[in-house]
Amino acid sequence: MNLPQNFVPAMLMTLFAGLTTAIGGGIAFIVKKDNLRVLSVGLGFSAGVMIFLSFTDIIPEASEMLSVNYPNMHEWLVFIGFIIGIVVAILIDYFLPDHVDPDELEDPEAPCNHRHKIKRAGILTAIAICVHNFPEGMATFLTTTQDLTLGITVGLAIAIHNIPEGIAVALPIYHVTGKKRYAMLYAALSGITEPIGALIGMVLFALFLPQVLVGILLAAVAGIMIYLSFDTLLPLSREYGNWHLSMVGIVTGMLFIWAGLIVLGHT
């Protein structure tokens, strides 16, 4: 199988986007172990970035790509892709193992229960991010092979929102273990599936029209990100703080990614 054009920059861009979760993990170093309000704002920040990026950048990008080959039905294809992403996220959420002992939930004030809840939040978020980073990596890779400038822009946008994802993974682990290396490890591993997705995308590149595959993948990624934001990140953000702290995180995340996209010229 011949390598697609822009193969090296596409792989490097995807690897960079994936490993920026470790940058978010590094932020856990400056967070006090007992400051759950920071965790609340961080989770809201991550949700705000994902929601804004999904509706203002990823879905329009998917629609534009699909309109090349399906000018009369591209909006329905995006709609279907978005639903597929939500269904995938629901299935992931349904089949993820429950690491919490039900007996521990009987005493909501028990310190052991509190630690387990935070640890479970970090692990489940890491797993969910791993899974949804897989198609993100595939999409970044395929986009870059078609248009280097567009691919770099998409990759940087994904990298920006991977930073708060790293925060969302690392903070719970750091609060439980108090060990920075564990927080960094979980955060880095949550993004490693993006280059793996790129390798799978390279194989699929030879089997499908790139615009069709990337467009549907982008729409599905948006669906997964929206589900993760509303089903996991926002409820946890409110649980570890209050709704006002969650709103601070959401608004800050939206403004952060908006300003980043303006700088990148991708709005």
Side-chain angles (χ1 to χ4, degrees):
M1 181 178 62
N2 294 328
L3 295 178
Q5 63 177 355
N6 299 326
F7 170 76
V8 173
M11 283 299 302
L12 291 176
M13 193 69 245
T14 307
L15 181 63
F16 167 76
L19 293 182
T20 50
T21 55
I23 298 177
I27 296 177
F29 291 1
I30 61 175
V31 176
K32 294 182 179 180
K33 185 178 177 182
D34 59 349
N35 190 358
L36 291 181
R37 295 199 303 173
V38 174
L39 177 60
S40 175
V41 175
L43 291 169
F45 183 92
S46 182
V49 170
M50 290 185 181
I51 294 168
F52 187 90
L53 190 64
S54 294
F55 286 123
T56 66
D57 192 70
I58 294 180
I59 289 179
E61 188 66 42
S63 180
E64 181 179 347
M65 288 184 175
L66 289 169
S67 66
V68 175
N69 293 298
Y70 300 95
N72 298 323
M73 60 179 299
H74 64 278
E75 293 180 348
W76 280 110
L77 290 175
V78 173
F79 182 74
I80 292 172
F82 185 82
I83 293 177
I84 290 174
I86 292 179
V87 171
V88 168
I90 292 174
L91 292 175
I92 293 169
D93 191 46
Y94 179 80
F95 287 108
L96 283 177
D98 188 347
H99 296 286
V100 177
D101 187 348
D103 294 335
E104 296 173 351
L105 297 178
E106 294 178 0
D107 182 6
E109 301 299 326
C112 183
N113 171 54
H114 191 62
R115 291 196 303 269
H116 272 285
K117 289 177 69 177
I118 298 177
K119 184 176 181 180
R120 179 175 182 265
I123 292 175
L124 294 186
T125 303
I127 294 173
I129 289 174
C130 274
V131 175
H132 98 253
N133 277 356
F134 181 85
E136 277 187 8
M138 194 181 299
T140 302
F141 177 82
L142 293 176
T143 305
T144 307
T145 57
Q146 297 173 78
D147 186 323
L148 184 58
T149 302
L150 177 62
I152 292 176
T153 305
V154 172
L156 288 175
I158 290 177
I160 289 173
H161 93 264
N162 276 352
I163 294 176
E165 284 183 358
I167 297 174
V169 172
L171 279 179
I173 302 299
Y174 183 50
H175 275 282
V176 171
T177 65
K179 296 181 179 179
K180 299 174 183 178
R181 63 178 182 274
Y182 285 165
M184 283 288 293
L185 178 62
Y186 273 87
L189 290 178
S190 69
I192 201 65
T193 51
E194 289 207 11
I196 296 175
L199 295 176
I200 302 298
M202 184 179 66
V203 176
L204 295 177
F205 184 90
L207 304 178
F208 300 94
L209 289 174
Q211 291 87 351
V212 174
L213 180 62
V214 175
I216 293 177
L217 277 175
L218 285 174
V221 165
I224 293 174
M225 290 169 61
I226 291 298
Y227 181 87
L228 179 64
S229 296
F230 284 102
D231 182 72
T232 302
L233 297 179
L234 291 180
L236 285 174
S237 176
R238 185 172 183 178
E239 179 179 351
Y240 296 134
N242 55 57
W243 185 239
H244 294 291
L245 290 174
S246 300
M247 284 302 300
V248 169
I250 294 169
V251 173
T252 302
M254 288 183 173
L255 294 177
F256 177 80
I257 191 63
W258 192 355
L261 293 175
I262 292 174
V263 171
L264 295 173
H266 204 250
T267 57

